[in-house]
Amino acid sequence: MDYPDRIKSIIYEQLLHFSHLHEQRMELELKEIKEMVQLHQLKGVPGNLSTIHVLDCIGQHEPINHSAIAEKLKLSKASITKITKKLLALDLIHRTQLNDNRKEVYFRLTPQGKQLFELHRALHEAEERRFMRFLDDYSESELQTLLKFFQGMARYISER
């Protein structure tokens, strides 16, 4: 095997390793959120990160409708409908309508939803600061290469 093929093989192995580590990290994030919910004595917590990210999207853009949530999170409208039903049942969001359009349903956070939103935001902000410190070890040209790689990976995964 020549050098470029060996490097490609190593990159693929690292991708698999990264995928497993990422899955573990997402499970840890959900566990941390559940622990924070218990600590702050909130009633319920969504069972997966997609649901928490829909809640986060609503909190960032309220009032927001199904279509806009689906577009921002790149999820299907059917998924958003299913997730918003869960969030409604947990009393984390409520439906509202704007005065000029009675057909269109928008979502806003309930007080409990706002608490969970703030807890989730704090976790993400801490993680983002940590990640930015990690990226400080790379030069501008290396960062450009990393960006190109991740953009390509996003295309690769979405085309699969």
Side-chain angles (χ1 to χ4, degrees):
M1 188 183 309
D2 63 352
Y3 180 74
D5 286 338
R6 275 199 324 268
I7 292 295
K8 288 177 186 177
S9 180
I10 291 169
I11 291 170
Y12 182 71
E13 289 171 13
Q14 286 298 303
L15 173 65
L16 293 177
H17 180 65
F18 172 79
S19 295
H20 295 296
L21 291 174
H22 181 69
E23 184 178 356
Q24 290 171 357
R25 178 66 188 115
M26 294 298 98
E27 289 172 5
L28 179 61
E29 181 178 336
L30 186 57
K31 182 181 176 213
E32 288 173 346
I33 290 169
K34 287 179 178 182
E35 289 171 357
M36 291 173 82
V37 163
Q38 287 180 338
L39 182 67
H40 289 84
Q41 299 176 336
L42 298 176
K43 285 191 287 187
V45 64
N48 60 53
L49 286 176
S50 293
T51 306
I52 291 170
H53 289 147
V54 169
L55 179 89
D56 186 68
C57 183
I58 293 169
Q60 288 183 61
H61 304 285
E62 64 183 343
I64 188 169
N65 64 21
H66 279 95
S67 299
I69 298 169
E71 183 180 319
K72 289 182 183 306
L73 296 180
K74 299 185 180 14
L75 294 172
S76 70
K77 289 181 185 180
S79 294
I80 299 303
T81 298
K82 183 178 174 184
I83 291 170
T84 54
K85 283 181 183 179
K86 287 180 189 175
L87 291 170
L88 285 163
L90 290 168
D91 195 35
L92 295 172
I93 63 170
H94 62 88
R95 294 175 209 226
T96 187
Q97 295 173 320
L98 300 181
N99 295 336
D100 58 339
N101 187 348
R102 290 299 203 192
K103 289 176 74 176
E104 190 89 42
V105 174
Y106 290 82
F107 299 101
R108 291 185 181 271
L109 299 178
T110 64
Q112 181 172 319
K114 286 182 196 238
Q115 284 184 293
L116 183 54
F117 169 76
E118 293 300 329
L119 293 173
H120 181 251
R121 283 273 100 199
L123 274 176
H124 267 265
E125 287 171 4
E127 185 59 35
E128 183 176 355
R129 285 190 300 274
R130 185 172 167 252
F131 190 72
M132 292 301 166
R133 285 192 306 272
F134 165 75
L135 291 177
D136 286 342
D137 291 341
Y138 295 90
S139 69
E140 187 175 335
S141 66
E142 289 171 323
L143 290 172
Q144 289 294 330
T145 301
L146 285 169
L147 177 60
K148 181 179 176 183
F149 172 78
F150 280 110
Q151 289 170 334
M153 279 301 299
R155 281 191 308 276
Y156 171 76
I157 290 169
S158 67
E159 292 170 357
R160 214 160 163 246

